């Protein structure tokens, strides 16, 4: 029903993904936004709002809260109260404000590396110290080192743990048991878990996203979550996100930090897009997930046949594929530069996500399959120029 195959030219739209590099004919498979038009229901709602022609300060209506609450209850069995929600301009500003609210300069914030690069900047910009609970790379996926997490959480200066659920860039979707063990360890040491769940809708069967705050009422009262339709519906530029916090005192601190950071206002398009996504966008999202899973399966087949020396980490969620390129013998940044210069394809270097990511590369598969195929062919041509192709396109 929906068209994800037709390529759309994003050049000269001030796209961070497409217009940053001043080079022609480069396929960007890096920044985490999609090359698909968003759901038609969102486009129609925005068109109607544009036709009104006045774009003043925005009041967030009750319908916004109702749409958000109903969506997470219906799809994920997560009970959110209207008073739990603090809206803001994005998940990264939300995380920065939460750290400001719950820490003092010199405190430590636990992260599970390799992890989303903005976690590092949000921590350091608040004069805090990243405390790395490095994930274990095992059997072509990642698992949690609980013994190390216990040690890190026991540090008296550790006040917050930033959880990425689903995890970027490893593609893990944490299970109920894993989330429960994280909470048990952190609660013993009075460490507040702050869960970035921006990729929560992009999960592939049989894996299931479990909101951290939905584990129990106790967990909901001692943790914070950040959610947004921005990744799932490709509306990151509309700048809208929600902080979900059950505890009143903690919520007051976060709300104060949101206002101190001046990220307490949102724009009319983000509000309307969220309402439209959560009330009418589910059919589009269902087809998107199917298409992304097919893209992943296509990529795995390509690597297995054309570049078998580069293991692809199992993808459970997100549209970001993590590839082990250590056998190439170049650093991630050297590999990034080589692929751009010699192949015209742009990937994210694993070193962006901490020392634990060195030697890996991140590939964004949220694009038409024809474009993905061309990007992968270019990658192979650069890295394995003398091998014969085995796949017909």
């Amino acid at each position: 029903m929906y068209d994800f195959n037709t390529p759309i030219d994003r050049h000269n739209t001030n796209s961070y993904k497409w217009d940053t590099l001043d080079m022609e004919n480069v396929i960007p498979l890096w920044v985490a936004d999609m090359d698909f038009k968003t759901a038609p229901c969102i486009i129609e709602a925005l068109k109607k709002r544009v036709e009104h022609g006045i774009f003043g300060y925005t009041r967030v209506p009750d319908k916004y809260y109702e749409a958000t609450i109903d969506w997470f209850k219906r799809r994920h069995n997560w009970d959110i109260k209207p008073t739990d929600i603090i809206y803001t301009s994005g998940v990264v500003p939300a995380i920065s404000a939460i750290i400001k609210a719950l820490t003092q300069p010199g405190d430590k914030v636990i992260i599970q590396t390799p992890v989303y690069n903005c976690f590092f900047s949000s921590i350091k910009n608040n004069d805090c110290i990243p405390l790395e609970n490095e994930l274990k790379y095992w059997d072509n996926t990642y698992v949690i080192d609980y013994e190390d997490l216990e040690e890190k959480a026991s540090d008296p200066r550790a006040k917050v743990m930033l959880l990425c659920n689903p995890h970027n860039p490893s593609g893990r979707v944490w299970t109920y048991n894993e989330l429960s063990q994280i909470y048990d360890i952190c609660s013993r040491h009075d460490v507040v878990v702050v869960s970035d769940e921006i990729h929560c809708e992009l999960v592939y069967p049989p894996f299931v996203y479990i909101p951290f705050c939905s584990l129990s009422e106790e967990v909901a009262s001692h943790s914070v979550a950040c959610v947004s339709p921005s990744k799932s519906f490709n509306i990151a530029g509309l700048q809208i996100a929600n902080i979900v916090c059950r505890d009143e005192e903690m919520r007051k601190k976060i709300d104060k930090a949101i206002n101190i950071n001046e990220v307490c206002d949102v724009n009319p398009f983000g509000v309307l897009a969220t309402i439209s996504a959560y009330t009418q966008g589910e059919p589009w999202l269902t087809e998107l997930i199917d298409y992304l899973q097919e893209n992943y399966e296509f990529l795995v087949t390509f690597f297995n046949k054309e570049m078998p020396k580069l293991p692809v980490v199992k993808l459970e969620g997100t549209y970001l594929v993590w590839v082990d390129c250590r056998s190439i013998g170049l650093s991630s940044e050297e590999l990034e530069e080589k692929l751009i210069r010699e192949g015209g394809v742009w990937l994210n270097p694993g070193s962006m996500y901490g020392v634990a990511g060195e030697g890996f590369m991140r590939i964004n598969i949220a694009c038409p399959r024809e474009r993905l195929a061309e990007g992968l062919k270019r990658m192979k041509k650069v890295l394995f120029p003398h091998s014969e192709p085995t796949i017909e396109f």
Side-chain angles (χ1 to χ4, degrees), residues 46-334:
L46 297 182
K47 281 181 179 178
K48 185 176 180 180
R49 185 65 182 85
V50 167
E51 289 172 358
H52 182 261
I54 300 175
F55 313 110
Y57 297 114
T58 297
R59 182 186 70 85
V60 177
D62 290 344
K63 190 174 182 180
Y64 175 91
Y65 297 94
E66 292 165 1
T68 301
I69 290 167
D70 178 69
W71 176 271
F72 283 99
K73 175 60 178 176
R74 180 167 47 82
R75 285 180 62 89
H76 307 298
N77 198 31
W78 182 12
D79 290 308
I80 302 173
K81 299 177 181 179
T83 53
D84 296 346
I85 298 174
I86 303 172
Y87 58 79
T88 187
S89 58
V91 166
V92 173
I95 289 170
S96 294
I98 294 167
I99 293 173
K100 178 185 285 291
L102 303 183
T103 66
Q104 297 294 324
D107 284 344
K108 296 181 180 181
V109 178
I110 301 170
I111 51 177
Q112 295 180 305
T113 53
V115 76
Y116 180 44
N117 52 296
C118 286
F119 279 14
F120 292 93
S121 56
S122 290
I123 294 167
K124 292 175 181 178
N125 289 343
N126 281 290
D127 295 319
C128 291
I129 302 167
L131 192 57
E132 298 187 31
N133 168 228
E134 186 174 326
L135 297 172
K136 292 180 177 180
Y137 183 45
W138 176 79
D139 193 25
N140 214 29
T141 188
Y142 283 85
V143 294
I144 297 169
D145 185 339
Y146 295 107
E147 184 176 345
D148 180 72
L149 178 57
E150 184 87 49
E151 179 183 337
K152 296 297 186 341
S154 67
D155 187 323
R157 294 168 66 190
K159 303 299 180 183
V160 167
M161 175 180 175
L162 291 185
L163 175 67
C164 201
N165 176 39
H167 188 271
N168 170 19
S170 79
R172 277 300 318 275
V173 177
W174 305 118
T175 66
Y176 180 90
N177 287 338
E178 287 170 321
L179 296 174
S180 296
Q181 288 187 71
I182 289 171
Y183 178 74
D184 289 344
I185 290 170
C186 288
S187 63
R188 280 198 297 273
H189 300 287
D190 294 322
V191 173
V192 177
V193 177
V194 177
S195 187
D196 172 0
E197 303 186 352
I198 196 170
H199 292 278
C200 66
E201 304 302 338
L202 302 171
V203 173
Y204 310 108
F207 304 102
V208 178
Y209 154 68
I210 300 172
F212 188 80
C213 295
S214 73
L215 294 180
S216 69
E217 185 59 35
E218 178 188 340
V219 175
S221 299
H222 294 87
S223 56
V224 185
C226 300
V227 295
S228 172
S230 61
K231 297 298 182 188
S232 307
F233 289 92
N234 203 27
I235 54 172
L238 300 185
Q239 297 186 316
I240 192 78
N242 291 310
I243 298 168
V244 182
C245 180
R246 178 63 51 84
D247 181 78
E248 184 177 1
E249 290 304 312
M250 189 156 51
R251 192 169 62 249
K252 285 179 180 178
K253 291 179 181 179
I254 295 170
D255 189 55
K256 182 179 179 180
I258 287 285
N259 282 270
I260 290 172
N261 284 4
E262 300 294 355
V263 286
C264 50
D265 292 319
V266 290
N267 70 74
F269 302 110
V271 173
L272 276 177
T274 299
I275 295 171
S276 297
Y278 287 163
T279 57
Q280 303 175 64
E282 195 163 15
W284 180 89
L285 178 63
T286 298
E287 290 194 24
L288 168 71
I289 292 170
D290 289 342
Y291 190 87
L292 291 174
Q293 187 165 22
E294 290 168 2
N295 267 5
Y296 169 65
E297 291 166 355
F298 171 85
L299 178 144
V300 170
T301 298
F302 185 96
F303 270 85
N304 287 343
K305 292 186 176 181
E306 304 289 339
M307 297 186 284
K309 294 181 180 179
L310 307 182
V312 177
V313 175
K314 297 172 186 175
L315 186 69
E316 299 174 2
T318 82
Y319 48 72
L320 305 166
V321 178
W322 192 237
V323 181
D324 185 352
C325 298
R326 291 175 294 178
S327 63
I328 298 296
L330 298 175
S331 73
S332 293
E333 291 186 0
E334 289 171 335

Side-chain angles (χ1 to χ4, degrees), residues 2-20:
Y2 301 102
D3 181 11
F4 299 106
N5 272 316
T6 302
I8 299 171
D9 186 3
R10 298 182 62 191
H11 286 106
N12 303 312
T13 61
N14 296 318
S15 164
Y16 188 72
K17 182 178 182 181
W18 283 86
D19 292 329
T20 293

